[in-house]
Amino acid sequence: MKEKIALVTGANKGIGFGIAKYLGLSGWKIVVGARNRQRAEKAIGLLEAAGAEVLGWTHVELAEPEGLELAAREVSERFGGLSLLVNNAGIPGDMSVDSLHTEISDIRKTIDVNFIGTFVLTKALLPLLESNGGRIVNITVPSEISPYWHPLAYVASKAAQNAMMGVMATEFEQSGKKVEIFSVHPGPTTTDLNGNMALPGFHDIDTVGRKTAELINDGRNHQGEFIELYPIVQEN
């Protein structure tokens, strides 16, 4: 049986850790993508203690395109059977200000990491993923603006990432590439990104990680889909 290898970026904490954990528990061999060796090794210890099989880690710094090219080469050389890329890593930007008080530098930085960095890594790994009939899963938020939560830099960066997914999915289908891409919105989740906010309707990392792994493992084609695990319910 062909081994199943998944690279999860930002797998050292938060939603990425939860996804890596439950993918690992469902038969995937995990490659941790992280910015820091110490945090990566700590996460590997925790994942293995939970019962997940971890092959190793690779340095993923989305703010450094040249480094991402190196990371993709390393993954190709060390983990040639990679068939799943989970683009989870990202930064929040300044979520404490409204749009009129958002600094241009913050918008640029957030888009550079969340959109451009994700695109560079995805593009660099695409030949390997295609050769293995692989999949790309982006962890994101809706492009539609919620009246309850709408930090400009973050939402703009994820809207661009959503557009990337839609364009790539269309092109994959048109060209017959044997690779699939889709997006997952976990819904409100308690993580470092939002200051560990835990309001009614929020879910924990284990719940979101388990449900994301179940979605990835459901055996269905989700090409070009935007899937909400826990949609935000509009108030009347």
Side-chain angles (χ1 to χ4, degrees):
M1 181 182 293
K2 183 178 178 181
E3 64 178 354
K4 301 190 299 182
I5 301 176
L7 168 61
V8 183
T9 67
N12 56 292
K13 65 177 182 177
I15 291 173
F17 180 86
I19 293 172
K21 175 181 173 181
Y22 286 96
L23 284 175
L25 292 176
S26 64
W28 288 87
K29 297 180 180 180
I30 304 301
V31 179
V32 170
R35 294 187 295 175
N36 176 283
R37 175 181 292 276
Q38 184 177 7
R39 293 173 187 165
E41 291 177 346
K42 179 180 178 181
I44 289 171
L46 293 172
L47 288 168
E48 290 179 337
E53 182 175 352
V54 183
L55 298 179
W57 81 286
T58 191
H59 182 258
V60 174
E61 173 52 84
L62 293 177
E64 299 174 358
E66 298 82 4
L68 294 174
E69 298 284 351
L70 291 174
R73 285 201 290 272
E74 178 189 5
V75 169
S76 297
E77 292 169 1
R78 296 178 59 199
F79 314 110
L82 183 80
S83 60
L84 175 62
L85 168 63
V86 180
N87 285 316
N88 165 79
I91 60 173
D94 187 352
M95 294 187 173
S96 68
V97 296
D98 63 17
S99 61
L100 297 182
H101 294 91
T102 300
E103 298 290 340
I104 296 298
S105 59
D106 186 54
I107 294 175
R108 286 198 179 108
K109 181 179 179 181
T110 308
I111 289 176
D112 278 348
V113 170
N114 294 355
F115 168 52
I116 295 176
T118 296
F119 172 70
V120 170
L121 181 63
T122 301
K123 182 180 178 182
L125 286 171
L126 190 56
L128 177 61
L129 291 165
E130 184 182 7
S131 70
N132 292 321
R135 307 170 96 189
I136 302 156
V137 180
N138 293 338
I139 307 303
T140 184
V141 299
S143 297
E144 297 79 13
I145 305 305
S146 165
Y148 310 112
W149 184 82
H150 40 257
L152 179 61
Y154 186 76
V155 173
S157 71
K158 289 297 187 175
Q161 192 183 102
N162 294 341
M164 178 195 85
M165 182 278 294
V167 170
M168 283 187 169
T170 298
E171 291 174 346
F172 293 166
E173 289 188 327
Q174 290 174 341
S175 64
K177 283 187 182 295
K178 297 184 183 302
V179 63
E180 178 186 343
I181 184 170
F182 63 96
S183 295
V184 176
H185 174 218
T189 308
T190 302
T191 69
D192 288 352
L193 185 140
N194 54 35
N196 293 306
M197 188 179 296
L199 299 174
F202 275 61
H203 296 88
D204 60 29
I205 290 164
D206 277 295
T207 300
V208 168
R210 183 186 303 110
K211 193 160 185 177
T212 303
E214 289 172 355
L215 174 65
I216 290 169
N217 292 325
D218 70 6
R220 296 172 55 195
N221 186 303
H222 294 290
Q223 185 77 279
E225 293 182 10
F226 182 96
I227 301 168
E228 293 196 81
L229 298 185
Y230 294 102
I232 297 174
V233 178
Q234 300 286 338
E235 295 179 359
N236 296 322

